[in-house]
Amino acid sequence: MILMIGFKDITLWIHQMLSGYLNPGWVVASEALLVGLAMILLVVIMAVAMIYMERKVAGFMQLRLGPMRVGLWGSMQAFADVLKLLLKECLTPNGADKLLFSLAPFVVLTVSFLALAPFSFAPGLQLWDLNIGVLYISAVSSIGVIGILMAGWSSNNKYSLLGGMRSGAQIVSYELSAGLSIIAIVIMCGSLSIHDIILSQSDGWWIFKGHLPAMFAFVVFVIASTAELNRAPFDLAEAEQELTAGFHTEYSGMQFAMFFLAEYTNMFIVSMVGTTVFLGGWMPFHIVGFEAFNHLMDYVPSFIWFFGKTFFILFLIMWFRWTFPRMRIDQLLKLEWKYLLPLSIINIVIAAFITIMGWHF
Amino acid sequence: MEIPKQLIPLEDTPGEFVINVGPQHPSTHGVLHLRIKLDGEKILEIEPHLGYIHRGIEKISESLGYRQSIYLTSRMDYLSAHMNNQACSLLVEKGLQIEVPDRAKAIRILMVELQRLASHQLWWGSAGLDMGAVSPFFFAFREREQILEIFEETCGTRLTMNYITPGGVMNDLHPDFVKKVKALIKQFKVNIHEYDKLLTGNIIFQKRTQNVGFLPRDLAISLGASGPVARASGISCDIRKLHPYDGYEKLDFSEIVMDKGDSFTRYLVRIEEMKQSMHIIDQLIDNIPEGDYRARVKGIIRLPEGEYYQRVETARGELGVFVVSDGNKTPYRIKYRTPNFSNLGALQYIAKDSKIGDLVAIMATLDLIIPDIDR
Amino acid sequence: MKALFRYFSSIFSAFKSLWTGMRLTFYYLSHPKTILTQQYPENRKTLYIPEAFKGEVVLIHDENNEHGCTACRMCEMTCPNGTIKITSITEETEDGKKKKILDEWIYNLGMCTFCAQCIEACPQNAIKMQNTFEHSVYDRKELIKKLNHPGSKLKSTKKI
Ligand code: SF4
Ligand code: SF4
């Protein structure tokens, strides 16, 4: 029966309990603290799960077993790695810009955390129902590139500098098509608020409802966001074989771990955006006409739907990484400016046309 | 061809900067050190620096006997250990005028072609790895591992075999050899299509390698390039065809020559060579002659006074061994003409004006083995 | 028009080539039977190490603790690395003849390159390669081994 309670009731109960003891100002403060802790906890749990998943997916695709030693089937490997990184010294190279160098990992991580705010994980489980939620996410997540540039610049290492510059060029260009592909859906749904976008998909996910433009937007979104994440086949910023480790060459210990965590948090965010906008957020999968089936689907808790879809997109991104070779910097930019961007613009026009004619369901 | 006169200075100038790729760098497969002058992403000049793993193999050999120095050659191009041993053995046999038994010849060719397969497989995997695709590496190792297991059973070692000796081979084949090789070839004939699925046909890989790193025919000749690198530039230089040894003349196989000369052609040449190697093994595996596996050679070898030269085709090109003997039990002077050294010479010409990413792709298709460059 | 067609067909063929690769990796992901990795220390019992594997040089001893080494030092001379050190003592036999017998057969595993030339060179076939491979030790000195067992004797050549 716990599923019947719903997250709204839980949050309300916490709020009432706190109000009973504290004055309103303190209630807000302690709630903010609780929420922050909950978010950090969520991100850490997700990061551990993703790292484990990534390693296993990579292993199985490569005829390997992946980590097997620490814990059952290597499940504790991520914790062992964190422990190792914690024990390592954070080196600052000679001639580095000390302030920027130590600031960069924090900037990158903070930005990824900021972007988490407007997501709705389940009915009633949303931190901040912002009326421009989608816009907020794409605006905030593009600040991350500043952290990467800072890291590349301040390391006093030419490889890092090249990596930072590549990353700058890449993120700035792919921002466009990632944004445009979301806008295609926003046009159809008519709202920027995450909550409204999810609610508008109660009768079917946008990827199905929106005909071809939505599907095309989804493909563009996955490609562009993989590029924004600096992951293979677009991992030019850290291209191991070319730039040793790109912008984080000089980072060690926990500073490196922060970049790592930020990368995984960003992956999580991108997958959540994809889930929310294209795959119906926490809405269950319904087929019009099959009432019994739909009813069955309703029994699956909504947050399982949400995280299931998120992990599906995560898997897609991992699948790309472990299959494809890396692109070259000029090809990367060509792909964006010659293919993705013009096609997305055309796509938006078509999407707008469909919306005006009311052809979408 | 102009030969660069000055070394690249270490200081950066406005708009250009100099970076050191290597000696410890993920894509140099060893300790190759390149000093590169860059303009943004564009490479203006490249300069290879050698000497990080110079072990003085040639000099050591002067104080070792012939038998002892042969084992050192396995450490030059460690992926063509059989071929290196074979070159020296052939040279000694030439000097002593020993007739190698037919069985030994057949075993040698089988081993050498298996080694060529293994070497090209590893190259394929690392070429993918260099371009950022990690999975091919493991697929390549699947068959390579089987070949190494076959070597292990017969030769006792996996990498530095020291199996081919003057007069024949060290010991007879393992009873399972024929069965295992047949199974391997059968499996690899299927699995080589995965190579096409993962890299050859992949659009990203094609775009990365096509029309990149052109090695023109005359430049290849003047640099003395050999092996797949030269054959991709339209030069027919397969020693197995031109100066057959150990009975290659009796076998049916074709020399792969393509003439575009870019990275992708070099890639294709190697893929086709793997198919040819399998073809050679197919012909021999059922017809290994019976008989001795080694002719009798004295324990201490003394080559008659004179000069000797022997060339073989390793997985990377022509290996030449030149020996001056004064009749003693150690060579007076020994010189190896290794394929990688000449092929490395091409790098600074063909990678000029390309991007850093291209440099990695070019190095991958040149298939450099650093210990072979720095002997 | 033609250019437009080429533009779109290039996109299509690109996607197709990417999809072939993805299908292959997914095939392996979904077929865990294809996994090749071995779990080494766990599978020690079933591990197959070929008989011919060159793991280390051993001096062959029979059940009477007798070996065949006549201390002729051929192996020591053949070895390219100076891995082998053979010391002998001269002993007087009953019938008054002086005879060289093996005192210590010292083998430095850390320097051996497993070329098996010593085995080839030995006129008595007294040594062989063994396929053991777990050689790691904490101290380099432990790699210097004395191969003749304590109290071992030279095999008597006379048939009884
Ligand atoms: S195997 Fe080679 S290196 Fe080792 S002891 Fe024998 S001759 Fe020396
Ligand atoms: S092992 Fe063989 S070669 Fe070495 S000293 Fe003994 S008998 Fe001579």
Side-chain angles (χ1 to χ4, degrees):
Chain A
M1 280 306 100
I2 192 125
L3 296 177
M4 290 290 129
I5 295 171
F7 292 102
K8 193 130 213 157
D9 306 326
I10 299 177
T11 44
L12 210 65
W13 177 70
I14 292 176
H15 180 77
Q16 277 160 0
M17 196 181 76
L18 284 174
S19 317
Y21 295 109
L22 304 162
N23 62 27
W26 282 108
V27 168
V28 171
S30 50
E31 273 174 0
L33 198 70
L34 274 180
V35 161
L37 283 178
M39 268 313 172
I40 290 175
L41 201 68
L42 174 77
V43 165
V44 168
I45 290 172
M46 285 303 290
V48 167
M50 277 191 290
I51 291 170
Y52 184 70
M53 175 180 168
E54 169 112 59
R55 289 181 150 187
K56 282 293 179 195
V57 165
F60 277 60
M61 279 183 179
Q62 299 168 346
L63 317 172
R64 299 185 287 120
L65 285 166
M68 287 294 280
R69 293 273 175 243
V70 191
L72 187 68
W73 277 78
S75 47
M76 294 289 125
Q77 187 66 47
F79 296 102
D81 287 345
V82 170
L83 201 67
K84 180 200 78 174
L85 287 170
L86 270 172
L87 293 175
K88 278 190 166 182
E89 185 187 354
C90 296
L91 282 172
T92 310
N94 234 350
D97 188 328
K98 294 234 166 44
L99 178 69
L100 287 186
F101 187 81
S102 29
L103 206 59
F106 291 99
V107 172
V108 174
L109 194 61
T110 314
V111 164
S112 347
F113 272 104
L114 276 180
L116 278 171
F119 281 107
S120 171
F121 303 98
L125 196 65
Q126 189 177 17
L127 293 192
W128 185 21
D129 188 11
L130 196 57
N131 59 355
I132 50 158
V134 177
L135 187 66
Y136 170 83
I137 293 167
S138 52
V140 163
S141 60
S142 51
I143 306 174
V145 67
I146 291 179
I148 292 178
L149 280 176
M150 272 159 78
W153 171 255
S154 64
S155 297
N156 190 27
N157 178 325
K158 288 166 185 171
Y159 285 120
S160 307
L161 184 60
L162 276 171
M165 289 304 155
R166 279 181 176 191
S167 170
Q170 182 178 334
I171 294 182
V172 167
S173 9
Y174 277 86
E175 203 91 278
L176 291 171
S177 23
L180 287 182
S181 60
I182 297 175
I183 284 181
I185 302 298
V186 169
I187 289 174
M188 293 192 201
C189 141
S191 168
L192 278 166
S193 147
I194 296 264
H195 190 65
D196 292 350
I197 290 180
I198 293 180
L199 285 186
S200 71
Q201 302 182 71
S202 57
D203 53 342
W205 306 350
W206 276 118
I207 189 164
F208 302 125
K209 277 204 302 182
H211 303 295
L212 221 51
M215 264 181 230
F216 182 80
F218 182 66
V219 173
V220 172
F221 174 77
V222 171
I223 296 175
S225 50
T226 315
E228 257 192 282
L229 288 170
N230 280 333
R231 278 178 68 87
F234 309 99
D235 59 343
L236 287 127
E238 43 204 282
E240 192 191 318
Q241 284 79 13
E242 293 158 29
L243 305 179
T244 59
F247 64 89
H248 60 66
T249 307
E250 295 288 356
Y251 283 91
S252 55
M254 266 335 260
Q255 288 178 329
F256 166 73
M258 278 182 180
F259 279 114
F260 203 67
L261 184 63
E263 183 187 324
Y264 277 89
T265 316
N266 284 337
M267 238 167 104
F268 182 42
I269 290 167
V270 159
S271 312
M272 287 199 298
V273 173
T275 306
T276 309
V277 176
F278 296 97
L279 302 182
W282 37 258
M283 285 293 175
F285 183 66
H286 280 177
I287 306 175
V288 182
F290 290 87
E291 283 314 317
F293 176 78
N294 293 352
H295 213 64
L296 207 67
M297 289 286 122
D298 284 338
Y299 271 109
V300 181
S302 46
F303 65 91
I304 288 191
W305 274 111
F306 185 79
F307 285 105
K309 292 173 199 169
T310 309
F311 272 100
F312 169 72
I313 298 183
L314 281 174
F315 172 72
L316 273 185
I317 296 175
M318 286 173 190
W319 193 4
F320 295 153
R321 169 158 180 190
W322 299 110
T323 309
F324 300 141
R326 180 182 306 119
M327 301 180 105
R328 207 170 58 206
I329 181 79
D330 55 329
Q331 291 162 353
L332 179 96
L333 297 179
K334 202 191 263 171
L335 172 71
E336 161 69 13
W337 298 102
K338 249 181 95 177
Y339 293 94
L340 292 187
L341 191 63
L343 290 178
S344 320
I345 291 173
I346 297 172
N347 192 45
I348 284 190
V349 175
I350 299 175
F353 186 69
I354 286 181
T355 318
I356 292 167
M357 304 304 280
W359 285 345
H360 62 88
F361 307 114
Chain B
M1 186 175 80
E2 46 163 317
I3 295 163
K5 300 241 162 41
Q6 257 179 324
L7 301 182
I8 300 176
L10 256 181
E11 299 87 50
D12 301 340
T13 43
E16 297 171 349
F17 65 47
V18 181
I19 61 173
N20 287 304
V21 176
Q24 310 282 325
H25 188 274
S27 77
T28 54
H29 304 298
V31 282
L32 181 64
H33 175 197
L34 304 171
R35 187 172 288 172
I36 305 183
K37 196 194 248 181
L38 287 175
D39 174 12
E41 286 270 338
K42 206 172 111 193
I43 295 169
L44 299 176
E45 262 179 86
I46 298 183
E47 181 187 276
H49 283 218
L50 303 181
Y52 282 92
I53 42 167
H54 184 73
R55 293 146 295 170
I57 287 185
E58 290 172 7
K59 197 69 189 167
I60 296 174
S61 301
E62 285 172 22
S63 55
L64 289 176
Y66 288 95
R67 275 187 194 281
Q68 280 77 26
S69 40
I70 290 176
Y71 98 98
L72 280 177
T73 59
S74 314
R75 274 90 185 159
M76 296 194 316
D77 181 349
Y78 48 83
L79 294 182
S80 311
H82 274 317
M83 288 85 147
N84 297 351
N85 295 340
Q86 191 189 17
C88 299
S89 304
L90 283 168
L91 181 126
V92 170
E93 283 150 16
K94 204 194 254 173
L96 297 177
Q97 279 154 7
I98 298 167
E99 191 49 45
V100 180
D102 282 346
R103 182 176 176 81
K105 283 186 179 174
I107 296 177
R108 278 185 183 182
I109 294 190
L110 278 173
M111 286 296 177
V112 160
E113 293 305 322
L114 281 176
Q115 175 96 76
R116 197 183 310 278
L117 269 184
S119 166
H120 282 354
Q121 282 160 356
L122 179 64
W123 155 80
W124 181 78
S126 62
L129 194 64
D130 276 351
M131 282 167 231
V134 187
S135 298
F137 197 66
F138 293 89
F139 296 136
F141 261 69
R142 176 181 40 188
E143 271 83 28
R144 183 179 141 80
E145 185 63 27
Q146 288 179 6
I147 294 180
L148 292 191
E149 262 161 29
I150 290 170
F151 285 162
E152 197 180 0
E153 275 187 335
T154 298
C155 319
T157 348
R158 297 160 64 88
L159 201 63
T160 50
M161 260 70 76
N162 196 36
Y163 178 65
I164 298 176
T165 57
V169 291
M170 205 80 154
N171 36 344
D172 211 349
L173 294 177
H174 191 268
D176 284 349
F177 180 81
V178 174
K179 198 179 78 199
K180 287 207 171 168
V181 170
K182 274 187 185 161
L184 166 90
I185 297 293
K186 196 169 154 221
Q187 181 192 336
F188 189 52
K189 275 187 178 152
V190 178
N191 282 351
I192 198 166
H193 296 300
E194 291 182 358
Y195 288 25
D196 296 343
K197 284 182 192 163
L198 271 176
L199 288 187
T200 321
N202 188 296
I203 180 84
I204 304 176
F205 182 80
Q206 287 182 358
K207 285 269 152 45
R208 282 291 298 273
T209 48
Q210 275 169 349
N211 303 325
V212 159
F214 275 111
L215 179 63
R217 190 166 187 271
D218 36 341
L219 182 63
I221 292 176
S222 46
L223 288 170
S226 58
V229 175
R231 286 199 281 281
S233 299
I235 303 167
S236 159
C237 62
D238 196 334
I239 308 296
R240 293 177 292 172
K241 279 275 184 213
L242 302 178
H243 306 277
Y245 50 91
D246 272 343
Y248 269 115
E249 63 276 6
K250 287 184 224 136
L251 295 168
D252 164 53
F253 68 101
S254 47
E255 182 183 359
I256 312 293
V257 180
M258 298 183 185
D259 44 34
K260 201 170 165 205
D262 61 353
S263 291
F264 193 62
T265 322
R266 288 194 280 276
Y267 172 89
L268 287 182
V269 166
R270 288 206 179 84
I271 295 277
E272 289 303 316
E273 265 186 17
M274 282 198 250
K275 292 177 185 157
Q276 289 300 325
S277 287
M278 285 197 278
H279 184 51
I280 293 176
I281 294 172
D282 273 347
Q283 292 169 49
L284 267 180
I285 192 70
D286 282 325
N287 320 311
I288 308 175
E290 292 299 320
D292 275 347
Y293 58 87
R294 179 160 50 161
R296 284 197 66 80
V297 182
K298 271 203 244 98
I300 292 171
I301 296 168
R302 286 171 209 271
L303 285 194
E305 219 175 302
E307 294 178 0
Y308 306 91
Y309 186 68
Q310 176 65 44
R311 36 172 47 169
V312 297
E313 180 77 17
T314 74
R316 280 162 199 77
E318 175 186 342
L319 171 75
V321 188
F322 178 68
V323 168
V324 181
S325 168
D326 54 0
N328 268 331
K329 56 183 180 181
T330 58
Y332 175 73
R333 173 79 172 94
I334 193 162
K335 155 84 187 151
Y336 296 107
R337 179 250 180 251
T338 51
N340 283 306
F341 184 76
S342 313
N343 291 351
L344 171 72
L347 183 67
Q348 51 183 315
Y349 299 101
I350 62 181
K352 212 171 180 167
D353 295 334
S354 51
K355 306 265 183 314
I356 301 177
D358 290 337
L359 172 73
V360 175
I362 290 169
M363 283 210 293
T365 52
L366 286 181
D367 193 12
L368 301 171
I369 296 286
I370 316 305
D372 197 33
I373 300 170
D374 255 349
R375 293 168 302 277
Chain C
M1 197 62 219
K2 216 173 200 168
L4 203 65
F5 178 74
R6 235 182 303 129
Y7 179 83
F8 281 106
S9 69
S10 72
I11 294 176
F12 181 73
S13 66
F15 267 106
K16 213 178 121 200
S17 81
L18 297 178
W19 176 239
T20 357
M22 282 171 66
R23 238 181 31 211
L24 186 72
T25 41
F26 190 79
Y27 172 81
Y28 284 116
L29 177 77
S30 54
H31 289 70
K33 278 218 182 76
T34 54
I35 285 179
L36 299 168
T37 338
Q38 298 179 2
Q39 295 269 291
Y40 160 56
E42 286 88 348
N43 73 351
R44 224 198 229 127
K45 286 207 178 63
T46 55
L47 205 61
Y48 167 60
I49 302 291
E51 202 47 50
F53 181 72
K54 298 175 191 164
E56 62 176 327
V57 176
V58 288
L59 190 64
I60 307 169
H61 286 77
D62 63 6
E63 62 277 11
N64 304 329
N65 202 10
E66 290 178 339
H67 57 76
C69 178
T70 55
C72 70
R73 306 184 62 183
M74 280 300 278
C75 50
E76 185 179 341
M77 282 187 289
T78 320
C79 179
N81 307 318
T83 309
I84 304 169
K85 288 274 171 302
I86 290 180
T87 48
S88 55
I89 43 174
T90 328
E91 224 177 44
E92 218 159 296
T93 46
E94 297 122 39
D95 38 343
K97 271 190 223 151
K98 287 224 169 104
K99 206 179 148 202
K100 214 164 62 166
I101 61 158
L102 179 71
D103 180 25
E104 275 184 330
W105 210 110
I106 303 291
Y107 170 60
N108 186 347
L109 181 59
M111 271 167 74
C112 183
T113 50
F114 312 110
C115 63
Q117 305 223 17
C118 47
I119 283 117
E120 290 281 302
C122 177
Q124 313 289 335
N125 289 334
I127 41 177
K128 67 164 188 186
M129 279 289 185
Q130 194 172 300
N131 66 350
T132 44
F133 62 98
E134 285 163 331
H135 290 318
S136 42
V137 285
Y138 282 105
D139 190 350
R140 206 189 292 174
K141 288 197 198 89
E142 290 170 45
L143 290 174
I144 303 175
K145 296 178 180 175
K146 187 178 152 204
L147 292 192
N148 50 334
H149 296 178
S152 62
K153 286 202 301 278
L154 179 64
K155 219 175 275 176
S156 51
T157 34
K158 274 172 279 169
K159 292 261 156 41
I160 309 161

